[in-house]
């Protein structure tokens, strides 16, 4: 469907940043001795990182358990019987695959019927290893989007080393070659959407400095085949002060019905939508906090992050509603939504995918996966049919055939290998198609959903996987994982690495569903946004205490883990409750919350964290910032902090500066920064396995001594 969601002139941005830092309490260069570590890749920073890596690898890789951990992680990561994730492409099934022969990966295709056979006969369409070798580039796959007309011409996105910035090239699926003289957009944080086979809508940094403070493009132009980029015609623009970018998206319905829209994001959660119809543009009267989910037939699907009152009807926050596409095109300022899915008090909308004439919705009910099929009816109403998914599972919509009736859902849990199910949206049949093999003996373990009581009395759910015969004596080595931000729900994954390197060795694993996430819809997220964020930190600590109160573990045996926003959570728990944990795994983190707006894409997250430009928010940010709050004379557990030089989203600067601050205070720590990987960590099986081996060796050293 081609939905693009991205997550200023340079002089103006730099000047504004300097004013904010000076006037609003941000750390000025003179007051921050580690400011030099914000240099991305200077020789002195490289030397510092190399020295830190050598020290850390000298500890973890020399541990007697590391080699075995790495061997098992590599075996699991490259297992040939892994489940290939399907993507519908013009009646075919596409899949991006990595293994020992294809470290960078291949894009391959087969028929839908063959895909569901035990041993599909794949045709390699693009070999990324061969391309990288031929061009001498560190190419990482970032996705493919095909033209809605022929479906053979596609835009392939390639990243250098895993960063968010991409190079976009036109590729012909039929010939397996890049198109000579075709569309090509050089590296940048950019987004391209097909209008037709010969036209794109592109948002990028057209001239130096034409990007927001967080590095995203805010000008959309129409690019015709054969046209130079400097001849592109502007269609829409946001503002340099916007938190995120301005991008185009295409919606395709039945009988060739199509809408082209431009979405401007003044902040992370606000969206201003414009209809583009030839040379005509018109504002679409949607609420600011609403997301476009797709189109089926003549209905445009909208999810709501806030209440929306239209006429005499109020649609609750967290709902899915539909608009008539023809009415929207004719009069975008006068919208008449109809309800599709509405949440109950413990419900949350998760995913929306569309077949030719139906909508498949996945949701949560008390953090348990649910799914349903919705069919449009005459008069703008919808009928609903629940899908009989197993209980206490994670249910994900993998993809749907927009030209047919099939959708694929995955069902898994902490102890249940992922099974892919085929859903026939026409007759409701729901059948298992493929299952990943078990990677450990799950019969020994049970999964429970428990609840802890937070500091304000809120009941906070969490999932725990443990041995069925576990002793409640407070000695069980336990890893507690959390995220708690951006409305993202923390659900149950199945991981062979977790099973082999932790559970089978006597470990317990816990996932905390704290506020700030989306487990109970937008209100669960809003409860811990900006200056209310301490609630998320208190929720996480409450889960830790509950594990101790139940005699599952104790501080000596309890470790915590989280990445990105979860890395901030780890840093806060490290500084606020150092006595509660004996291991803290801080992954690709935000840690300097006073200067986070000045680092990488940080300015885009003001809607989540607040800004130093606001006095009250600045005071709160400093009060919780791990970099500002770590103190001398406090006994801290030795943390393992890791990041990536190629992370252009959060940026490695946070982790570096925090490690340097610990060094100043004489606090023991481990720090690791590979040069490749981007914000998601390793981009190849080898990189991912190495990071996993380092992490579990760290936890075993701290929580399973001897």
């Amino acid at each position: 469907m081609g939905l693009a969601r991205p997550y200023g002139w340079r002089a103006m941005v730099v000047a504004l940043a300097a004013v904010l830092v000076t006037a609003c309490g941000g750390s000025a260069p003179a007051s921050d001795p580690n400011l030099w570590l914000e240099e991305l890749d200077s020789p002195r920073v490289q030397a510092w990182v190399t020295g830190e890596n050598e020290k850390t690898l000298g500890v973890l890789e020399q541990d007697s358990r590391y080699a075995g951990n790495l061997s098992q992680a590599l075996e699991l990561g490259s297992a040939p019987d892994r489940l290939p994730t399907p993507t519908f492409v013009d009646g075919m099934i596409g899949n991006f695959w990595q293994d020992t022969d294809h470290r960078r990966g291949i894009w391959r295709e087969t028929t839908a019927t063959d895909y569901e056979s035990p041993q599909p006969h794949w045709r390699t369409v693009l070999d990324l290893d061969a391309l990288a070798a031929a061009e001498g580039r560190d190419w990482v796959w970032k996705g493919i989007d095909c033209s809605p007309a022929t479906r053979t011409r596609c835009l392939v996105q390639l990243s250098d080393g895993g960063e968010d910035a991409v190079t976009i090239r036109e590729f012909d699926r039929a010939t397996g070659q890049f198109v000579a003289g075709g569309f090509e957009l050089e590296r940048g944080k950019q987004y391209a959407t097909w209008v037709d086979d010969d036209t794109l809508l592109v948002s990028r940094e057209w001239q130096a400095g034409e990007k927001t403070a967080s590095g995203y493009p805010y000008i959309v132009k129409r690019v015709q085949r054969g046209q130079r980029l400097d001849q592109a015609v502007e269609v829409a623009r946001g503002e340099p002060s916007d938190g995120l970018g301005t991008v185009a998206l295409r919606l395709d319905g039945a009988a060739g019905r199509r809408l082209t829209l431009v979405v401007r994001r003044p902040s992370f959660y606000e969206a201003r939508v414009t209809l583009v119809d030839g040379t005509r543009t018109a504002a679409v009267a949607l609420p600011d906090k609403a997301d476009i989910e797709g189109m089926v037939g003549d209905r445009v699907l909208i999810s709501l992050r806030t209440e929306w009152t239209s006429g005499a009807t109020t649609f609750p926050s967290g709902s899915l509603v539909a608009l008539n596409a023809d009415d929207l095109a004719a009069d975008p300022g006068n919208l008449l939504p109809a309800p599709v899915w509405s949440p109950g008090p413990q419900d949350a909308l998760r995913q929306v995918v569309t077949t030719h004439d139906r909508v498949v919705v996945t949701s949560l009910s008390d953090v348990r996966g649910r799914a349903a099929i919705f069919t449009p009816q005459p008069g703008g109403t919808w009928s609903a049919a629940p899908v009989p998914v197993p209980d206490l599972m994670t249910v994900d919509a993998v993809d749907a055939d927009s030209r047919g009736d099939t959708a694929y859902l995955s069902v898994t849990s902490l102890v249940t290998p992922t099974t892919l199910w085929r859903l026939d949206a026409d007759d409701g049949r729901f059948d298992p198609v493929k299952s990943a093999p078990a990677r450990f003996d799950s019969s020994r373990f049970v999964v429970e959903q428990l609840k802890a009581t937070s500091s304000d009395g809120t009941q906070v759910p969490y999932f725990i996987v443990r041995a069925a015969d576990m002793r409640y004596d407070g000695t069980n080595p336990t890893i507690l994982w959390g995220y708690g931000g951006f409305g993202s729900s923390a659900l149950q994954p199945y991981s062979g690495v977790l099973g082999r390197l932790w559970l089978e060795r006597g470990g317990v694993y816990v996932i905390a569903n704290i506020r700030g996430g989306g487990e109970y819809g937008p209100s669960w997220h809003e409860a811990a946004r900006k200056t209310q964020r301490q609630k998320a930190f208190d929720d996480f600590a409450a889960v830790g205490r509950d594990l101790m109160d139940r005699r599952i573990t104790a501080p000596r045996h309890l470790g915590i883990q989280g990445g990105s926003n979860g890395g901030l959570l780890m840093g806060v728990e490290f500084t606020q409750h150092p006595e509660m944990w004996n291991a803290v795994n801080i992954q690709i983190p935000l840690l300097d919350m006073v200067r986070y707006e000045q680092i990488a894409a940080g300015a885009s997250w003001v809607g989540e964290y607040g800004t130093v430009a606001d006095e009250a928010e600045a005071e709160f940010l400093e009060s919780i910032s791990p970099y500002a709050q770590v103190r001398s004379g406090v006994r801290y557990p030795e943390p393992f902090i890791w990041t990536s030089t190629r992370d252009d989203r959060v940026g490695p600067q946070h982790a570096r500066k925090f490690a340097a601050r610990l060094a100043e205070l004489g606090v023991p720590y481990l720090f690791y920064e590979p040069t490749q990987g981007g914000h998601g960590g390793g981009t190849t099986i080898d990189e991912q396995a190495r990071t996993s081996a380092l992490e579990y060796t760290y936890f075993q050293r701290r929580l399973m001594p001897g």
Side-chain angles (χ1 to χ4, degrees), residues 74 78 98-105 129 683-686:
L74 282 169
S78 58
Q98 294 173 301
D99 57 26
T100 53
D101 295 324
H102 308 96
R103 295 296 185 180
R104 298 179 187 276
D129 295 84
T683 56
T684 67
I685 292 169
D686 305 79

Side-chain angles (χ1 to χ4, degrees), residues 188-493:
K189 283 191 176 180
Q190 57 186 330
Y191 307 91
T193 297
W194 292 97
V195 176
D196 55 46
D197 266 4
D198 297 315
T199 311
L200 303 179
L201 288 182
V202 177
S203 56
R204 69 193 314 265
E205 186 181 3
W206 299 95
Q207 300 292 330
E210 288 182 342
K211 57 184 179 180
T212 68
S214 50
Y216 291 101
Y218 66 90
I219 299 174
V220 180
K221 294 187 179 183
R222 182 181 289 107
V223 179
Q224 301 291 147
R225 183 174 300 281
Q227 185 181 50
R228 299 194 315 268
L229 291 184
D230 62 7
Q231 297 174 316
V233 177
E234 183 173 320
V235 172
R237 68 166 52 210
E239 296 291 339
S241 58
D242 287 346
L244 281 174
T246 299
V247 301
L249 64 85
R250 182 193 69 248
L251 299 178
D252 297 304
R257 184 181 278 103
R258 183 177 303 152
L259 290 177
T260 302
L261 305 169
V262 170
V263 180
R264 173 194 167 200
R265 291 197 174 270
S267 70
F268 200 89
Y269 301 111
E270 294 178 285
R272 310 282 169 77
V273 180
T274 300
L275 173 71
V276 178
D277 184 5
T279 59
R280 168 196 172 214
T281 61
V284 181
L286 289 171
D288 283 349
K289 293 185 178 181
D291 291 318
I292 299 167
E293 299 289 352
M295 182 174 174
V296 58
D298 62 351
R299 315 287 178 92
V300 178
L301 302 162
I302 309 292
S303 61
L304 303 178
R305 292 178 178 268
T306 186
E307 283 188 350
W308 185 13
T309 299
S310 176
T313 305
T314 296
F315 301 92
S317 175
S319 298
L320 180 69
V321 301
L323 304 169
N324 182 279
D326 296 329
D327 292 345
L328 186 155
D331 189 0
N334 183 26
L335 304 178
L336 297 174
V340 181
W341 182 92
S342 297
Q346 291 191 309
D347 296 339
L349 180 70
R350 286 203 63 227
Q351 299 159 307
V352 179
V353 296
T354 59
T355 63
H356 179 259
D357 53 7
R358 287 174 173 80
V359 179
V360 178
V361 171
T362 63
S363 61
L364 297 176
S365 179
D366 198 15
V367 206
R368 298 163 183 246
R370 300 287 185 265
I373 303 167
F374 292 86
T375 304
Q377 303 294 319
T381 61
W382 294 76
S383 64
V387 177
V389 298
D391 194 24
L392 204 62
M393 294 281 187
T394 294
V395 179
D396 282 308
V398 178
D399 201 8
D401 185 357
S402 62
R403 298 185 175 188
D405 298 315
T406 301
Y408 286 123
L409 306 184
S410 70
V411 178
T412 192
S413 80
L414 284 161
V415 296
T416 308
T418 301
T419 297
L420 189 75
W421 292 68
R422 183 202 320 108
L423 174 63
D424 188 317
D426 183 35
D427 61 19
R429 287 190 58 185
F430 191 50
D431 299 306
V433 172
K434 289 179 178 288
S435 291
R439 304 302 184 185
F440 61 95
D441 182 8
S442 61
S443 66
R444 297 169 44 196
F445 304 99
V446 295
V447 174
E448 297 176 289
Q449 185 186 40
L450 304 175
K451 294 190 177 180
T453 302
S454 193
S455 56
D456 62 359
T458 299
Q459 293 295 291
V460 180
Y462 64 92
F463 291 103
I464 178 172
V465 56
R466 59 170 179 81
D469 59 354
M470 181 192 75
R471 293 185 299 176
Y472 289 86
D473 59 3
T475 66
N476 299 289
T478 301
I479 298 174
L480 169 59
W481 183 92
Y483 186 78
F486 295 91
S488 179
S489 301
L491 305 176
Q492 298 184 64

Side-chain angles (χ1 to χ4, degrees), residues 579-597:
E579 77 289 348
M580 288 184 64
W581 336 105
N582 196 36
V584 182
N585 181 201
I586 306 175
Q587 310 163 317
I588 48 175
L590 291 93
L591 293 168
D592 185 352
M593 297 309 292
V594 177
R595 281 188 57 79
Y596 88 92
E597 294 170 78

Side-chain angles (χ1 to χ4, degrees), residues 125-147:
V125 179
L126 176 61
D127 186 328
L128 212 58
D129 295 84
L131 180 68
E135 299 184 348
R137 301 293 295 273
D138 186 17
W139 287 133
V140 173
W141 180 262
K142 286 290 185 175
I144 186 170
D145 178 37
C146 298
S147 164

